[in-house]
Amino acid sequence: MRSWEDIQAGSFFEANARERAFGIVDKNTFTELLNPRDRQASPHLPVLGEAIGFDDGIVTGVGLIGKRPIFVVSQEGRFIGGAVGEVGGAKMVATLKLALQTYEEVKKQYPDSYQDRLPAVVISFETGGVRLHEANAGLLAHAEVMDLFQDARHKIPVISVIGSKVGAFGGMGFVAGAADVVIMSEQGRMGLTGPEVIEQEVGKDEFDASNKALVYRTTGGKHKYILNDCNFLVKDQVGAFRKQLTEVLEQPFEQIEQYRRIGSMELVQEQIELVDTAAKLEPKDAMDIWKYFGNEEPAKLPELSVEQFLKVAKRRPRKN
Amino acid sequence: MALRVLEFKYKADNPVTIAKEWSHLGVVGSGDLEVLMESKDLDGWLTVKVVTPVTGFDKVWDLVLGKFANESQLGNVAMEINDNNATPIVVSMRLRQALAEANKLQTEGE
Amino acid sequence: MDDKSMQREWNTLKMDTQERLKKAAPYAKGKIVSAKDTVALLEAVIKPGDKVNLEGNNQKQADFLAECLCNVDPKKIYDLHMVQSVLSLPSHLDVFEKGIAKKVDFSFSGPQAGRLAEFVKDGKVELGAIHTYLELFGRYFIDLTPRVALIVAFEADEQGNLYTGFNTEDTPVIVEATKFKQGIIIAQVNKVVEKLPRVDIPADWVDFIIPAPKPFYVEPLFTRDPALITDAQVLRAMMAIKGIYAEYGVTRLNHGVGFDTAAIELLLPTYGEELGLKGKICTHFSLNPHPTLIPAIESGWVESIHCFGGELGMEEYVKERSDIFFMGPDGTLRSNRCYSQTAGHYALDMFIGGTLQIDKFGNSSTATANRVAGFGGAPNMGCDAKGRRHSTGAWLKCGQEYGMNEQLIGDLPRGKRLVVQLQETFREKLVPGLVETLDAWKLAKNANLDIPPVMIYADDLTHIVTEEGIAYLHKCGTIEQRMAAIRAIAGYTELGLQADPKETRELRKLGIVKTPEDLGIDISRATRSLLAAKNVKELVEWSHGLYNPPARFRNW
């Protein structure tokens, strides 16, 4: 693997799951749990004649940011599109459980100073959701992860980082959005039904998946930032993601919890209002919404660097 | 057509092992593979297990791995490869990169 | 004096043209014909059996006129002989299906290659010949002169002057051949304006102007997304740069389109810089405005580029780099396929590109058993032009190394053009790239062609680069030695497995085969991290925002 410094300076988009996991925490603090040598490959793929991976496409482990143990899940899009199967799903679930256990232990061991030692969970998404070859187990994993997100509420922060090739789609699009905080790069994408599936089901007139500019301004980081579906937009660099993550974790937990999109009646109400707005607006393109939220020259936004964009972009106002 | 498991072994004249106890490199993307190397007492042998969906290239695997074994003189190493249709050149490149990774000096702080 | 000569009418073509123009007059206001009258216009000026040129190449297309030609009445217009650069739109073949056209002479048929093969087999198309671009252009002036040419331009003025701008491409050569043999020129334009930015085709060479309902189609054929370049391509690029570009000091060249050459372009500012090659290689190109060349241009590698055609999204970048590109006083690129091909033929020292299959002798082809794909311009680039007389370092060195020179021309020194193929031993899904016999033989049988279509013949090919090594084929003194050199770099293909290790060692000693190791290249270094730009966005950044990629390439 490249050195931690090389990974920090390099592209998040180009980095593989293991490099992202290693690079998202402090230097050389990452320990992989169920590493390739443990050979936890899918038991289902061999009978189907499909290639297997020692990590089943999901890297899990723990590292540190400051004094805080950071439990990391990192999905690998190059392996079956990052689709979540039985083993990978179980690894996600176990990592969340371990984080919650650690929370209890840290609290017990440091009753007076546990605040700055609180664990956190970071998930680097790169997936289209369920792996169809082992769909039941994959779906179950989705449900269990969602459950554990609820268990983590008011205890430890769960943070989504999205900036890899496949994006976060399908059921995992829901999961990513249900975290406390979402950090994206403009190359990151988040959504439910993937562009190719929309085109296939409804037709090219509805959504032209080969028009990448359209795909990105409908699902990409800048759009999600304007809509406040993503809380922070960073440039495509592992170090930039880590820096943003570190800054978020320095904030009081009460503040971090304010970043959520769902999880209370008020937040659900806010989402419903957004749906109402969209219905009234009948946007033909994401740019219509950007304009609605105060961006006078929406066509220019995709062309701006992240720094320039963050200076000028107007976002959907949050209620709280 | 289930996945296939191929096993090979090679013996070097003057076997050299890897610096790390174990090492891993690569991602099982389409046309790519991952390599796991473990240092083991194998009486000087290099053993290789390949798991692959590809049929009809068993001889080529043997040639590519044999060439690598000959050039590297690896011995007392157990190697496992998960393959997804990698071409011979990709296999050769990954093997060399995996060997470099397995012999990397431990970085500071570790 | 010969009486017959006195009695003969010597200006029938001119009279026939005047007659046709008279029939067309009711549809035209001045030279302008409205889109809805186009079919009627075509029926008025075209006669059964005419040779008709429909402009279009692998980039721009007279797509509206192609559609209209399909809608003429096959009872009035039939048996046309189409002479055109490419068959790439569905309409280019529909016109045969409807019985309007009968015969075709062309150069390239990429997207329609499968359907064309079927048409030929079913007797729906009578195939004249498949040409290279220059060869077809040449025949326009000899025995394939169009009677009517249906061309395309960006803009026209009321008088009929045309502005072909960024995508001039084939237009001048078609118009010249047609008009000066008394033919008729009909142009579809995106709009009619009062004053053109510049005049590319003068009004009195143009008979009718049709403002088309939609801007003409342009294919961004030369855009390669760096995100899709593989590590193996990086390796071949490193080998080519060190083993060929640096070895021969190649300054004047053409790059075939593909990811292999894109990798070379993106390695110049990194690996090339490291080898200290700036200014010593890659200074002058015949090349379309490849977006992947932007980092090398911006790093000061390139002095001059003449373009066959334009490339969508490169308009502004090219405009701001007038020291590098050829352009009009209006500040827009002037591309010209015919001139660029000629330059490629005579003024370049190297062509380098990829192919689908190379056989055991070194002949290469992109033909598969069921696709009549044609050639385009690659064979014009990928050959040793026999008419060349001036010398350069690279050309002389290659000539000095030529192992068969003495057997052919005795003791006279002569240079040789470098013709290089970059080839993967295996493509995706483990399909071999080096083979015993080309699929072109099967195609020749299936489509009833006189000869198997070969892109580059073995006697023109000087080098093959695979991941296994470079074969310096021109150094070989016999065909047996060439075949051994090809086997030596054919890796684990059936062909490569026949290589005799002893013979390969001998060839390496002679410098006829060089492995990455012989070249001093560490293959574990060959990763995407060497690319000067790893995605389209970084190309935009290199261009200071001047490159404006088409939507399909924008992942932001």
Side-chain angles (χ1 to χ4, degrees):
Chain A
M1 191 162 29
R2 293 181 287 159
S3 73
W4 186 86
E5 284 81 1
D6 282 355
I7 292 172
Q8 293 302 303
S11 159
F12 189 93
F13 190 85
E14 292 261 327
N16 66 40
R18 191 156 283 107
E19 290 172 329
R20 276 180 264 134
F22 183 69
I24 201 72
V25 292
D26 288 350
K27 185 178 169 181
N28 298 346
T29 61
F30 183 74
T31 300
E32 186 167 349
L33 300 172
L34 289 185
N35 64 43
R37 201 187 190 190
D38 293 313
R39 299 176 179 80
Q40 291 294 327
S42 161
H44 308 290
L45 295 174
V47 285
L48 299 168
E50 293 280 337
I52 54 166
F54 288 128
D55 55 21
D56 202 35
I58 290 188
V59 174
T60 49
V62 62
L64 288 172
I65 288 183
K67 289 180 193 166
R68 304 178 69 147
I70 308 297
F71 289 84
V72 183
V73 173
S74 183
Q75 299 174 333
E76 179 54 67
R78 269 166 272 202
F79 184 67
I80 326 183
V84 178
E86 182 172 7
V87 173
K91 284 169 78 173
M92 284 186 82
V93 170
T95 308
L96 279 151
K97 285 185 176 166
L98 207 54
L100 283 162
Q101 269 175 33
T102 307
Y103 163 78
E104 300 296 348
E105 279 165 30
V106 166
K107 236 174 121 177
K108 213 185 292 172
Q109 210 173 330
Y110 302 94
D112 304 321
S113 62
Y114 69 86
Q115 280 294 354
D116 59 348
R117 293 173 191 272
L118 272 184
V121 175
V122 177
I123 306 178
S124 170
F125 287 92
E126 189 180 16
T127 176
V130 172
R131 184 184 295 169
L132 294 179
H133 314 71
E134 30 196 294
N136 290 348
L139 273 174
L140 190 61
H142 278 68
E144 285 186 277
V145 169
M146 285 297 234
D147 253 5
L148 285 159
F149 275 22
Q150 304 313 310
D151 293 347
R153 292 279 193 254
H154 313 308
K155 291 182 182 165
I156 57 173
V158 178
I159 295 163
S160 299
V161 292
I162 307 171
S164 302
K165 191 171 182 190
V166 179
F169 284 100
M172 279 292 155
F174 278 112
V175 174
D180 294 303
V181 179
V182 176
I183 304 173
M184 292 177 83
S185 65
E186 71 173 320
Q187 285 85 352
R189 294 181 295 151
M190 177 164 63
L192 297 175
T193 311
E196 284 80 11
V197 181
I198 300 177
E199 180 182 308
Q200 190 186 311
E201 295 300 318
V202 200
K204 220 178 174 70
D205 289 339
E206 176 67 22
F207 203 77
D208 179 359
S210 69
N211 184 336
K212 282 200 196 165
L214 172 69
V215 169
Y216 273 84
R217 65 178 185 268
T218 316
T219 64
K222 280 178 173 167
H223 175 62
K224 296 293 170 185
Y225 181 80
I226 291 171
L227 281 190
N228 247 314
D229 285 345
C230 117
N231 305 98
F232 300 98
L233 187 76
V234 298
K235 71 173 177 178
D236 172 37
Q237 191 192 49
V238 176
F241 272 93
R242 191 186 55 78
K243 187 162 165 280
Q244 184 63 62
L245 177 64
T246 306
E247 281 172 24
V248 168
L249 291 175
E250 280 163 1
Q251 298 172 13
F253 191 32
E254 298 70 34
Q255 169 65 37
I256 294 175
E257 290 194 288
Q258 298 298 314
Y259 291 122
R260 273 184 213 143
R261 286 142 304 274
I262 58 167
S264 68
M265 253 341 270
E266 291 76 29
L267 288 172
V268 170
Q269 195 56 43
E270 195 180 321
Q271 294 292 336
I272 289 172
E273 278 171 33
L274 181 58
V275 174
D276 274 349
T277 307
K280 281 192 202 110
L281 201 60
E282 290 187 36
K284 295 276 175 265
D285 193 291
M287 285 193 278
D288 296 342
I289 305 193
W290 303 350
K291 192 155 188 186
Y292 175 79
F293 288 123
N295 297 285
E296 286 308 319
E297 291 183 290
K300 289 202 170 149
L301 294 180
E303 304 312 315
L304 299 180
S305 70
V306 172
E307 293 82 11
Q308 292 166 326
F309 174 83
L310 290 175
K311 272 185 212 143
V312 300
K314 305 271 194 304
R315 310 175 70 182
R316 174 177 71 87
R318 293 292 303 261
K319 288 276 167 184
N320 44 20
Chain B
M1 38 145 222
L3 270 187
R4 306 179 62 238
V5 179
L6 312 175
E7 311 231 23
F8 305 94
K9 57 197 286 189
Y10 306 92
K11 190 144 190 182
D13 300 333
N14 302 299
V16 285
T17 188
I18 51 175
K20 292 183 187 170
E21 187 196 344
W22 70 278
S23 177
H24 173 267
L25 181 129
V27 173
V28 193
S30 175
D32 216 328
L33 53 79
E34 66 181 335
V35 186
L36 178 67
M37 288 186 183
E38 286 175 293
S39 179
K40 251 183 195 173
D41 187 2
L42 293 169
D43 200 19
W45 289 89
L46 164 68
T47 62
V48 188
K49 177 182 165 192
V50 178
V51 179
T52 175
V54 180
T55 53
F57 280 82
D58 299 10
K59 187 183 161 198
V60 172
W61 274 109
D62 192 18
L63 288 166
V64 175
L65 292 166
K67 189 174 174 211
F68 172 73
N70 185 39
E71 283 169 2
S72 66
Q73 291 289 304
L74 272 187
N76 291 319
V77 171
M79 199 153 84
E80 291 182 41
I81 293 173
N82 286 323
D83 166 63
N84 185 10
N85 282 282
T87 57
I89 180 57
V90 173
V91 177
S92 300
M93 286 170 76
R94 295 293 176 247
L95 288 173
R96 294 215 195 184
Q97 288 159 354
L99 181 60
E101 178 71 29
N103 284 328
K104 229 184 232 174
L105 294 172
Q106 305 290 299
T107 47
E108 43 176 309
E110 267 185 331
Chain C
M1 192 170 284
D2 185 348
D3 272 357
K4 269 191 194 154
S5 155
M6 288 299 290
Q7 284 159 16
R8 176 179 161 173
E9 175 50 62
W10 287 99
N11 298 299
T12 57
L13 284 175
K14 200 185 267 177
M15 280 160 32
D16 174 58
T17 296
Q18 275 157 6
E19 197 181 296
R20 294 181 191 217
L21 292 178
K22 205 181 290 169
K23 269 172 73 185
Y27 308 109
K29 204 175 142 204
K31 285 184 179 176
I32 313 245
V33 177
S34 78
K36 67 173 174 33
D37 290 330
T38 307
V39 173
L41 173 77
L42 296 179
E43 287 178 350
V45 301
I46 300 175
K47 285 186 178 174
D50 273 354
K51 288 191 185 70
V52 174
N53 175 285
L54 189 50
E55 182 170 17
N57 48 56
N58 48 18
Q59 303 183 268
K60 73 167 174 177
Q61 295 294 346
D63 50 354
F64 176 67
L65 290 174
E67 283 295 327
C68 291
L69 188 64
C70 288
N71 292 329
V72 298
D73 183 350
K75 283 194 228 67
K76 293 184 198 154
I77 314 279
Y78 48 87
D79 286 353
L80 297 184
H81 179 176
M82 304 304 296
V83 293
Q84 60 192 84
S85 292
V86 304
L87 297 166
S88 75
L89 302 176
S91 54
H92 290 161
L93 284 178
D94 293 348
V95 77
F96 291 93
E97 185 128 64
K98 294 183 173 175
I100 296 161
K102 190 173 82 175
K103 187 175 177 183
V104 68
D105 276 278
F106 75 107
S107 173
F108 177 71
S109 74
Q112 298 297 325
R115 196 166 159 227
L116 176 61
E118 274 173 38
F119 273 38
V120 173
K121 215 173 176 181
D122 299 346
K124 284 185 195 160
V125 169
E126 184 189 325
L127 199 57
I130 315 173
H131 308 75
T132 70
Y133 281 137
L134 267 186
E135 188 180 12
L136 184 66
F137 296 162
R139 289 192 70 189
Y140 288 168
F141 294 92
I142 304 294
D143 57 344
L144 291 179
T145 308
R147 194 74 190 96
V148 178
L150 310 177
I151 64 164
V152 53
F154 276 103
E155 293 169 357
D157 64 15
E158 294 275 350
Q159 291 74 49
N161 293 299
L162 297 183
Y163 172 62
T164 48
F166 199 70
N167 293 77
T168 296
E169 302 175 0
D170 307 12
T171 312
V173 71
I174 295 169
V175 173
E176 180 114 4
T178 309
K179 192 64 206 169
F180 292 89
K181 200 70 193 297
Q182 327 308 331
I184 295 170
I185 304 286
I186 301 174
Q188 78 169 70
V189 298
N190 291 351
K191 60 180 174 182
V192 176
V193 298
E194 205 163 299
K195 183 156 172 44
L196 294 173
R198 72 172 192 236
V199 175
D200 288 297
I201 305 289
D204 57 353
W205 302 3
V206 179
D207 299 288
F208 300 103
I209 303 292
I210 298 160
K214 268 199 308 202
F216 63 82
Y217 180 74
V218 187
E219 170 79 15
L221 191 70
F222 294 86
T223 301
R224 288 293 178 274
D225 185 344
L228 302 176
I229 292 173
T230 64
D231 292 349
Q233 281 159 343
V234 171
L235 173 62
R236 280 192 298 278
M238 291 168 75
M239 292 169 66
I241 289 174
K242 201 161 180 190
I244 297 176
Y245 289 64
E247 171 84 9
Y248 295 86
V250 178
T251 53
R252 316 181 312 168
L253 69 162
N254 168 255
H255 278 175
V257 56
F259 285 103
D260 274 354
T261 43
I264 291 173
E265 289 159 13
L266 290 169
L267 245 51
L268 292 177
T270 56
Y271 188 64
E273 191 80 45
E274 180 187 313
L275 297 176
L277 296 172
K278 197 201 279 187
K280 296 181 184 143
I281 63 169
C282 294
T283 51
H284 294 73
F285 284 95
S286 270
L287 193 74
N288 276 320
H290 285 192
T292 39
L293 199 57
I294 292 172
I297 296 172
E298 292 304 303
S299 310
W301 282 70
V302 181
E303 285 174 36
S304 179
I305 301 173
H306 185 265
C307 300
F308 308 88
E311 183 66 6
L312 270 183
M314 287 290 281
E315 296 85 350
E316 288 304 309
Y317 177 76
V318 165
K319 194 177 206 166
E320 299 298 325
R321 298 288 179 273
S322 64
D323 282 354
I324 309 293
F325 294 94
F326 287 74
M327 63 182 62
D330 61 319
T332 304
L333 179 80
R334 167 75 174 196
S335 60
N336 187 312
R337 190 166 318 278
C338 189
Y339 290 163
S340 213
Q341 292 282 353
T342 307
H345 209 51
Y346 289 107
L348 298 185
D349 296 324
M350 179 168 90
F351 164 78
I352 182 165
T355 189
L356 215 54
Q357 287 183 331
I358 299 179
D359 74 7
K360 59 181 171 184
F361 307 110
N363 299 297
S364 57
S365 171
T366 54
T368 56
N370 297 305
R371 290 170 58 84
V372 182
F375 304 114
N380 296 136
M381 300 283 125
C383 71
D384 188 12
K386 295 295 178 196
R388 173 170 172 174
R389 292 295 179 271
H390 72 288
S391 67
T392 55
W395 185 76
L396 275 179
K397 178 172 164 61
C398 189
Q400 279 156 7
E401 294 173 351
Y402 186 32
M404 300 180 76
N405 197 62
E406 213 161 301
Q407 294 162 55
L408 294 169
I409 61 168
D411 61 358
L412 268 181
R414 186 182 190 181
K416 192 163 176 59
R417 148 68 101 49
L418 287 90
V419 177
V420 185
Q421 295 261 266
L422 295 154
Q423 183 71 330
E424 282 174 290
T425 55
F426 287 97
R427 288 195 308 281
E428 254 174 73
K429 300 288 164 199
L430 295 163
V431 181
L434 293 117
V435 296
E436 183 77 19
T437 311
L438 297 176
D439 283 347
W441 285 94
K442 284 184 212 150
L443 174 65
K445 198 161 166 256
N446 289 348
N448 205 16
L449 309 175
D450 293 338
I451 49 173
V454 167
M455 191 65 90
I456 294 176
Y457 285 100
D459 57 345
D460 280 324
L461 190 65
T462 58
H463 302 76
I464 303 176
V465 184
T466 73
E467 324 80 52
E468 300 292 334
I470 302 180
Y472 296 72
L473 299 175
H474 63 292
K475 292 185 181 175
C476 299
T478 62
I479 190 154
E480 285 74 24
Q481 198 175 34
R482 286 178 73 100
M483 289 164 71
I486 291 169
R487 288 194 296 269
I489 51 125
Y492 300 93
T493 58
E494 291 288 324
L495 197 64
L497 294 178
Q498 294 167 29
D500 172 2
K502 221 175 85 193
E503 204 172 8
T504 300
R505 267 198 301 278
E506 190 58 31
L507 291 168
R508 282 173 69 182
K509 225 181 276 167
L510 293 169
I512 290 175
V513 167
K514 292 184 190 175
T515 64
E517 195 189 348
D518 298 338
L519 293 165
I521 291 171
D522 173 6
I523 74 170
S524 66
R525 269 197 75 201
T527 66
R528 290 177 42 76
S529 58
L530 274 178
L531 298 172
K534 291 170 195 67
N535 52 54
V536 174
K537 179 97 186 187
E538 287 180 13
L539 292 175
V540 175
E541 283 161 18
W542 270 102
S543 80
H544 308 282
L546 292 169
Y547 173 42
N548 175 29
R552 77 168 93 155
F553 292 106
R554 304 172 84 94
N555 56 348
W556 62 87

